Amino acid sequence: MTPTNCSSSTMNFTVRSYSTPGCAPDDVSSRGGARHDSARSECPGQPGSGGGRGGTTTATANEISVDFDQTREAYKSKDSLELLRSLVVFKLCSYDFLVDKNKEIMDLGKKIMGQKGFNQFMKMTFYGQFVAGEDHMAIRPLIQKNQAFGVGSVLDYSVEEDITQKEAEQKEMDSCVSTAEKESIGGDHREKKYKAHKQFGDHREGVTGARTYFYADEAKCDQHMETFIKCIKASGGSSMDGFSAVKMTALGRPQFLLQFSEVLVKWQRFFSFLASQQGKDGMEALEQRLELKQMQEFLTKLGAKGDFYDWFSGRKEESSGTIDMLDWNSLIDHRTNISDLLVIPNLGELEPLLEMFTIEEENQMKRILQRMDVLVKHAMENGVRLMVDAEQTYLQPAISRLTLEMQRTYNKEKPVIFNTYQCYLKEAYDSVTMDVELSRREGWHFAAKLVRGAYMYQERERAKENGYEDPINPDYETTNWMYHRCLDYVLDEIALNRNANVMVASHNEDTVKHTLKRMNELGLLPTENKVYFGQLLGMCDQISFPLGQAGFPVYKYVPYGPVNEVMPYLSRRAQENRGFMKGAQKERELLWQELKRRVASGELLYRPAY
């Protein structure tokens, strides 16, 4: 099953009104059952017309359609030299030999040109294309220019440690094994997926476009926090309503994230096991509801140990007699004592994940949360929103849960913290729907960035080598379908209560057109600032700038940092662009078209005015 290729009609930022009488909703499960597919709202201009809410009305809405083929509008923020640089860089990125040997070529360039000459050359080419500048002062002109043409910024300090593969592997192994594990003798309850594996210790391999961190000590995590604070302040000082990107692995020891992820996954798996015993397997995650009485009888029959009879004592679930996955997940409170938390259910019997968890390791968890608290408070003071990046699947459950807890605290009045969902994952739709439902029940602002994903090659290889199920969708078409399914669900939620927010972080023109089409159908206006668009700096300007000039909130992911320290990031950007540029013939054609238009019209020396 693949997503519908939804192309909006081509016109230059046209706004028109229409009226559609008597459009009936499709037959889709009610929101009470937590199902909420995009088919539920096919009637243009009728937010929330389906989904079991029923009724037919006449709706009028402003429809906005954006033309992505108008080169004059797309590149009006660029002078001709910038267009030429884009063409050259994109072409070079399409040559396999140059990309595969990019590190060796750059090292040779440093020897021939010297460090100063090499830095200048990079600023004129690759660095200048994909990186905004060396520090928060140097990036201001670019940010302000983009903003003048309708494009905001998500700041991302992209400096990475330049260490060898051997050093990376050693750091990863040291930071992913607890003191208790090193000293323990006997049974090991850990699953292969949630253990450190030396051959995958260098998690920079097989990653496209995402920066990586290696744990050194708590002092280094504090340094990373200070760097993020500077980034937040730079974002607040450079633009209005900006974003700043953060990574949870920069703020703490990954060993805790590994263990917590395993607990969360096994806890949900235990729920699914109990649901299957009640004949409810094969249903959507949020449609499964456990009968408490049956569950307790079943666990007793298994001879389960533990005080499961008191799990729900005094809770509202007692009155209904049933619980769903969200009720089940709520039993794990990240603020509880970590040694009590790290137990896992195994066929009804609660068994310890670790026999011991040291005070120092408990403090590491608390410090991750404290650092996140500090960052959020700085973001709120500076009028900046935080974008928490997604990471590998063996870390992501913990990252998502901690992000969710921060959202529950800080997103009550407005969206401050955005979580990232990778739609190449098989579980992406369940993750999105459960978090949307939780935000609705508790009354806070759901805020998401939807991406396709950055760790596919690494995830596939790691799963194959260690004998667990590949978490990635089988092919690109399935990932596209998953992306559109998640997106449609959130758009429907926005139409229902205006409490959800989503960034469509995609370079796929069909996905952007699909979003515009659905916004028109649901009566969602760009001025509401509920649906954002995002692309990487230096890529897909023919999508970003027409959207911005048509009034849509659109942002560039803006990396910055010193030339030498950003080179690992640039190296991977070249790897990513190789595949992207081979399939991005249209972007190069539009760049050539605009250059030829300027030559023919005598505008070759055009300078952007703002």
Side-chain angles (χ1 to χ4, degrees):
M1 187 173 182
T2 57
T4 306
N5 185 358
C6 303
S7 298
S8 57
S9 57
T10 302
M11 55 179 61
N12 194 14
F13 317 141
T14 301
V15 180
R16 64 178 183 272
S17 295
Y18 59 86
S19 178
T20 308
C23 181
D26 285 296
D27 181 19
V28 180
S29 303
S30 71
R31 290 300 294 275
R35 186 168 174 182
H36 173 304
D37 281 330
S38 62
R40 148 176 119 51
S41 250
E42 288 298 322
C43 186
Q46 291 191 102
S49 61
R53 306 224 169 177
T56 58
T57 60
T58 299
T60 302
N62 290 323
E63 181 178 304
I64 300 180
S65 181
V66 181
D67 187 348
F68 297 114
D69 295 318
Q70 291 288 328
T71 62
R72 185 168 190 163
E73 299 297 326
Y75 301 117
K76 68 192 300 184
S77 68
K78 302 281 190 292
D79 62 35
S80 298
L81 278 177
E82 288 177 290
L83 298 185
L84 190 60
R85 179 185 67 194
S86 296
L87 274 169
V88 170
V89 168
F90 292 163
K91 186 63 177 175
L92 290 175
C93 284
S94 69
Y95 291 119
D96 288 340
F97 172 78
L98 294 178
V99 174
D100 290 336
K101 301 292 183 182
N102 74 83
K103 193 173 188 309
E104 292 85 346
I105 293 170
M106 287 190 286
D107 289 341
L108 180 62
K110 288 178 191 176
K111 289 179 182 177
I112 295 173
M113 292 182 274
Q115 189 65 58
K116 189 175 180 181
F118 175 77
N119 287 359
Q120 190 58 40
F121 173 76
M122 292 303 294
K123 287 180 180 180
M124 293 168 59
T125 54
F126 292 92
Y127 180 95
Q129 181 70 21
F130 300 119
V131 184
E134 299 211 43
D135 55 40
H136 67 279
M137 292 302 294
I139 66 178
R140 278 193 178 185
L142 176 66
I143 290 173
Q144 290 169 353
K145 181 177 82 166
N146 285 353
Q147 191 170 21
F149 290 94
V151 177
S153 299
V154 180
L155 293 194
D156 182 11
Y157 190 69
S158 295
V159 167
E160 292 185 5
E161 238 181 320
D162 190 10
I163 58 178
T164 66
Q165 180 178 342
K166 186 176 180 180
E167 289 172 327
E169 290 173 352
Q170 189 59 50
K171 283 194 171 192
E172 185 74 355
M173 295 303 294
D174 290 344
S175 65
C176 287
V177 180
S178 71
T179 303
E181 282 182 287
K182 290 174 183 175
E183 296 174 354
S184 68
I185 301 173
D188 183 3
H189 302 293
R190 304 295 300 281
E191 290 189 6
K192 287 183 178 180
K193 181 173 182 178
Y194 301 101
K195 285 183 177 181
H197 298 278
K198 189 171 183 180
Q199 67 267 42
F200 297 98
D202 188 357
H203 49 260
R204 296 169 299 184
E205 297 297 319
V207 178
T208 54
R211 69 201 186 291
T212 56
Y213 291 92
F214 293 93
Y215 180 84
D217 51 39
E218 294 299 300
K220 189 69 174 177
C221 293
D222 286 333
Q223 288 179 24
H224 291 151
M225 181 186 71
E226 292 299 326
T227 298
F228 288 143
I229 290 172
K230 289 178 184 177
C231 191
I232 289 167
K233 290 180 177 177
S235 182
S238 301
S239 62
M240 293 175 60
D241 297 324
F243 286 90
S244 187
V246 299
K247 271 212 165 193
M248 200 78 77
T249 48
L251 300 175
R253 188 181 173 105
Q255 167 246 330
F256 162 71
L257 297 175
L258 271 174
Q259 292 173 232
F260 194 21
S261 291
E262 183 170 16
V263 169
L264 293 168
V265 169
K266 287 188 172 182
W267 190 249
Q268 291 182 1
R269 195 184 298 160
F270 188 32
F271 178 91
S272 299
F273 168 73
L274 293 174
S276 70
Q277 299 304 308
Q278 297 187 14
K280 296 176 181 177
D281 48 344
M283 301 170 67
E284 297 283 4
L286 275 176
E287 291 178 346
Q288 294 178 324
R289 296 193 70 85
L290 292 183
E291 300 286 339
L292 275 176
K293 189 175 179 182
Q294 286 186 44
M295 180 190 78
Q296 292 171 353
E297 289 173 354
F298 177 73
L299 292 178
T300 302
K301 190 185 297 184
L302 285 178
K305 299 174 184 177
D307 58 352
F308 61 90
Y309 280 107
D310 297 326
W311 285 353
F312 296 97
S313 60
R315 299 169 63 89
K316 65 179 177 61
E317 289 80 7
E318 280 197 329
S319 58
S320 67
T322 63
I323 60 167
D324 64 9
M325 180 73 86
L326 292 178
D327 301 321
W328 182 260
N329 287 343
S330 70
L331 293 176
I332 295 183
D333 180 356
H334 79 278
R335 303 280 182 182
T336 60
N337 185 282
I338 195 66
S339 57
D340 295 333
L341 171 66
L342 290 175
V343 293
I344 55 171
N346 182 15
L347 295 179
E349 181 178 341
L350 294 179
E351 60 182 26
L353 184 59
L354 292 176
E355 294 297 336
M356 297 189 320
F357 207 73
T358 67
I359 293 174
E360 172 55 25
E361 285 154 352
E362 285 187 30
N363 289 336
Q364 286 168 4
M365 183 207 68
K366 291 174 184 174
R367 285 196 286 265
I368 291 179
L369 296 170
Q370 288 167 354
R371 291 177 185 119
M372 277 300 296
D373 279 329
V374 169
L375 292 178
V376 177
K377 286 168 184 172
H378 276 284
M380 295 177 76
E381 288 171 5
N382 287 274
V384 174
R385 290 156 293 184
L386 286 187
M387 196 79 76
V388 180
D389 285 345
E391 305 196 40
Q392 290 90 341
T393 54
Y394 46 90
L395 301 170
Q396 190 58 41
I399 291 168
S400 289
R401 179 60 185 258
L402 296 177
T403 303
L404 194 70
E405 296 298 336
M406 303 301 288
Q407 288 179 314
R408 295 167 83 176
T409 302
Y410 294 105
N411 281 14
K412 290 178 180 177
E413 296 181 5
K414 61 181 181 179
V416 177
I417 303 169
F418 282 63
N419 199 3
T420 302
Y421 298 86
Q422 301 188 98
C423 294
Y424 68 1
L425 297 178
K426 296 172 183 176
E427 64 183 24
Y429 182 75
D430 285 345
S431 299
V432 169
T433 55
M434 283 196 291
D435 290 352
V436 168
E437 176 65 20
L438 183 65
S439 71
R440 190 187 311 116
R441 291 183 190 181
E442 297 182 344
W444 46 271
H445 291 261
F446 175 82
K449 178 179 72 168
L450 297 183
V451 300
R452 281 175 168 78
Y455 305 95
M456 183 177 73
Y457 302 112
Q458 183 188 106
E459 292 276 15
R460 286 198 192 285
E461 186 64 23
R462 192 177 189 273
K464 182 181 176 183
E465 286 295 317
N466 292 293
Y468 59 85
E469 183 185 354
D470 185 351
I472 309 295
N473 288 320
D475 50 46
Y476 185 73
E477 289 72 27
T478 308
T479 293
N480 274 348
W481 170 74
M482 181 67 79
Y483 192 104
H484 286 213
R485 190 183 185 205
C486 294
L487 173 60
D488 287 340
Y489 188 92
V490 180
L491 291 175
D492 287 348
E493 177 66 14
I494 295 171
L496 280 166
N497 60 34
R498 294 322 201 252
N499 242 19
N501 308 263
V502 64
M503 175 173 280
V504 183
S506 176
H507 295 153
N508 188 307
E509 188 174 315
D510 286 338
T511 293
V512 173
K513 288 180 176 179
H514 173 80
T515 308
L516 299 181
K517 177 177 180 287
R518 293 288 294 134
M519 288 179 71
N520 286 330
E521 291 172 351
L522 296 167
L524 301 178
L525 300 177
T527 52
E528 294 181 72
N529 284 332
K530 293 292 181 183
V531 182
Y532 311 87
F533 295 87
Q535 288 84 39
L536 292 165
L537 181 70
M539 297 169 70
C540 289
D541 288 344
Q542 82 280 7
I543 291 177
S544 307
F545 286 91
L547 282 171
Q549 290 158 41
F552 289 89
V554 59
Y555 293 81
K556 286 291 193 184
Y557 232 72
V558 178
Y560 71 100
V563 176
N564 265 352
E565 298 177 55
V566 176
M567 294 316 295
Y569 170 87
L570 278 178
S571 178
R572 283 207 313 281
R573 175 64 63 240
Q575 293 280 351
E576 179 180 10
N577 285 350
R578 167 170 49 186
F580 178 82
M581 283 302 135
K582 283 181 178 179
Q585 187 64 28
K586 179 180 178 180
E587 184 164 3
R588 284 184 285 180
E589 288 174 356
L590 291 175
L591 286 163
W592 271 120
Q593 188 178 323
E594 176 59 12
L595 273 174
K596 287 187 284 187
R597 187 198 67 78
R598 290 184 183 183
V599 170
S601 61
E603 298 177 56
L604 190 60
L605 300 180
Y606 166 80
R607 303 286 294 177
Y610 58 96

